[in-house]
Amino acid sequence: MTKTKTMKLTLPQDELMSCGHLACQGCGATLAMRYMLKALGQKTVLCIPACCWAVIDGAYPHSSLDVPIYHCAFETAASTASGVKAGLDMVGETDVTVVAWAGDGGTFDIGLQALSGTAERNDDVIYVCYDNEAYMNTGIQRSSATPYGAWTTTTPVKHFKTRPKKDIVAIMAAHRIPYIATASVSHPEDFYKKMIKARDIKGTRFFHVFAPCPTGWKSRPEDSVKLARMAVQNGLFPLYEITDGENWTLNLKLKDKKPIIDYIRLQGRFRHLGETELQAMQDEVDRKWNKLLKNCGAT
């Protein structure tokens, strides 16, 4: 008797993001959106401020997403989502998930005040920051999510960024909101599972999603998922969760944590750095990794 081989899908087949969007080749933010909508489904409303996704979706009246979208001002993603959720509750639409979807500039910098207010009130929304580590939509300017050493158009190679990346997850943990998670486009099953978990929690939920940008990182489009996976495997962007601001859980333990040098060499934005700067970057990754292990009780 011949055995029939079957393939088991790890994500739902349903798609709420269609082809024809306006993203660059290899855009990590498109994968992040696709995976999130697979988890949340059609009962979802998105609030999108100025960011790459304000363009990617398509020019009105066309849209690549099969869910309602409210485009809002740069600094208002979180407060707009709070208002939309309150309005839906008032008309009895209590089963709709409202998501603020913003880039790192609209989260780490311009939208931080509104995000803090939403978190302090514990408004019942999901906030997703897709982090491509600069203001990519307006010309690759430095944001406070830009890592040490990186070239951007406002931090040219002779004056590269010398300050560390802002720790947005620690800031959100200090608000003691019910749920915080990191996710990467290289680990869709982990992302999907966390989003399902967040959907069923009340209060403010925050996602920090690693989303490579070939245009801004000067990398090859076909390397986007590879770069995202390398960042997880070398501890630069670990996968973990925090509940109630205090309970840390490491989702992927690294038996053999790799050095960051191979990840760095695939990107033109770090090409100007010497051995001293590269060692400083490795030391910072090791410091933060050891601190995370301590927070998670994994030392």
Side-chain angles (χ1 to χ4, degrees):
M1 182 177 178
T2 304
K3 290 185 178 179
T4 303
K5 291 185 178 179
T6 59
M7 182 175 68
K8 184 179 180 181
L9 298 177
T10 56
L11 296 178
Q13 284 185 284
D14 296 339
E15 297 285 356
L16 293 175
M17 191 180 92
S18 64
C19 57
H21 60 71
L22 302 179
C24 305
Q25 288 185 338
C27 173
T30 56
L31 291 174
M33 176 67 81
R34 182 172 171 236
Y35 299 148
M36 181 192 73
L37 290 179
K38 281 178 177 291
L40 297 184
Q42 207 147 26
K43 282 277 189 177
T44 303
V45 173
L46 298 178
C47 301
I48 302 180
C51 62
C52 291
W53 252 103
V55 176
I56 293 171
D57 178 50
Y60 179 83
H62 306 289
S63 174
S64 59
L65 303 180
D66 194 15
V67 296
I69 301 170
Y70 192 106
H71 288 290
C72 55
F74 213 154
E75 70 278 16
T76 67
S79 54
T80 300
S82 296
V84 170
K85 179 59 179 174
L88 288 169
D89 287 347
M90 286 292 291
V91 297
E93 297 281 351
T94 57
D95 59 343
V96 177
T97 303
V98 179
V99 177
W101 176 273
D104 50 281
T107 303
F108 285 61
D109 301 336
I110 296 173
L112 185 59
Q113 182 179 359
L115 174 58
S116 178
T118 294
E120 189 276 331
R121 293 187 301 271
N122 197 25
D123 291 338
D124 188 21
V125 301
I126 295 177
Y127 191 107
V128 179
C129 171
Y130 65 94
D131 183 4
N132 50 28
E133 301 190 322
Y135 290 86
M136 299 305 184
N137 184 44
T138 52
I140 319 175
Q141 297 93 349
R142 168 203 196 276
S143 80
S144 57
T146 300
Y148 167 87
W151 161 91
T152 68
T153 54
T154 52
T155 52
V157 294
K158 291 184 179 179
H159 305 279
F160 59 81
K161 186 180 177 184
T162 56
R163 293 290 298 159
K165 181 171 183 166
K166 186 185 288 183
D167 193 345
I168 191 69
V169 171
I171 292 172
M172 296 312 297
H175 288 75
R176 298 188 66 179
I177 56 177
Y179 186 69
I180 299 168
T182 65
S184 172
V185 297
S186 62
H187 292 69
E189 292 83 5
D190 173 81
F191 188 5
Y192 176 83
K193 189 186 304 180
K194 289 173 176 173
M195 193 56 74
I196 291 288
K197 183 176 181 179
R199 183 193 62 187
D200 299 330
I201 295 173
K202 295 295 182 183
T204 305
R205 293 87 83 195
F206 180 82
F207 276 75
H208 184 198
V209 183
F210 198 65
C213 169
T215 305
W217 293 15
K218 297 186 177 183
S219 57
R220 300 188 306 174
E222 59 267 36
D223 284 340
S224 289
V225 173
K226 180 179 181 179
L227 282 167
R229 185 179 299 111
M230 292 171 84
V232 172
Q233 292 174 340
N234 63 29
L236 187 145
F237 195 90
L239 302 178
Y240 59 100
E241 302 167 284
I242 308 172
T243 54
D244 301 320
E246 295 182 339
N247 304 308
W248 297 58
T249 302
L250 186 64
N251 303 121
L252 183 64
K253 297 179 181 178
L254 303 177
K255 293 181 179 178
D256 180 24
K257 189 167 79 65
K258 301 181 185 303
I260 64 170
I261 189 63
D262 292 336
Y263 166 83
I264 295 295
R265 292 301 188 203
L266 281 178
Q267 304 170 64
R269 62 176 175 159
F270 296 118
R271 195 167 294 150
H272 52 283
L273 299 180
E275 291 301 320
T276 302
E277 291 83 15
L278 294 175
Q279 186 58 52
M281 293 176 71
Q282 182 65 63
D283 292 344
E284 177 66 4
V285 169
D286 293 342
R287 185 192 69 80
K288 292 185 69 175
W289 173 253
N290 290 330
K291 184 178 180 182
L292 175 63
L293 291 180
K294 185 177 180 181
N295 288 340
C296 296
T299 56

